[in-house]
Amino acid sequence: MAGQLDSLLKNVAKQIVSDLGTSLDSTISYTKKGISSYNVDTGENITIDTTYSGLKVPVEFVQSTEDDGRERREAKIYISPNLIGDNQPSFEDEITLTYAGSTRVGQIVNIDTRQGGQTYLFTLLVRF
């Protein structure tokens, strides 16, 4: 029974994220940062990132405040795992979104994972 309930919750969360993202017309790109490796021959640090573009997800703009003369904005972004290759978000990953007519890269500052026997929803607090 627990496995069936987990599957039901995962499918419901996936559908809600899809429906709200489409109806609210909010599109983001999610960049999953890869593992860095050092190339001894060239002396370079190499990272291979994976970008998931054109994701229609709900974006809730939480606040916009001024901090030392600079505007600081935060938003909650709701993502189902299937949209980002069933990866767990990390603080090194990046979210690119459009706000006030310009494209901004946001820093993930909090990750809330909803799960039972399987993960079904991530709520990310992003600062940009």
Side-chain angles (χ1 to χ4, degrees):
M1 179 67 177
Q4 291 174 333
L5 183 58
D6 273 346
S7 293
L8 175 66
L9 288 172
K10 184 175 184 174
N11 289 333
V12 168
K14 180 179 171 182
Q15 191 62 47
I16 289 171
V17 167
S18 175
D19 290 349
L20 283 174
T22 301
S23 66
L24 296 173
D25 196 28
S26 29
T27 305
I28 66 163
S29 292
Y30 185 98
T31 302
K32 179 72 180 164
K33 294 295 185 176
I35 297 172
S36 295
S37 63
Y38 183 74
N39 185 326
V40 179
D41 296 331
T42 63
E44 294 180 315
N45 203 17
I46 301 169
T47 304
I48 299 174
D49 300 336
T50 303
T51 300
Y52 303 92
S53 299
L55 304 180
K56 298 264 188 195
V57 299
V59 177
E60 174 187 355
F61 291 96
V62 177
Q63 69 176 353
S64 180
T65 58
E66 189 173 328
D67 185 19
D68 291 329
R70 295 176 49 169
E71 187 176 10
R72 185 179 106 180
R73 301 172 197 100
E74 290 184 342
K76 279 187 182 177
I77 298 176
Y78 302 88
I79 298 180
S80 55
N82 64 299
L83 295 176
I84 55 172
D86 289 320
N87 290 303
Q88 172 71 37
S90 71
F91 294 112
E92 291 79 28
D93 298 346
E94 293 178 347
I95 304 285
T96 305
L97 65 145
T98 302
Y99 177 79
S102 64
T103 301
R104 308 287 175 101
V105 176
Q107 173 190 7
I108 299 171
V109 294
N110 191 24
I111 302 167
D112 181 28
T113 303
R114 299 294 175 176
Q115 62 186 19
Q118 54 187 323
T119 302
Y120 52 88
L121 182 66
F122 301 116
T123 305
L124 308 177
L125 183 63
V126 178
R127 186 173 295 147
F128 60 100

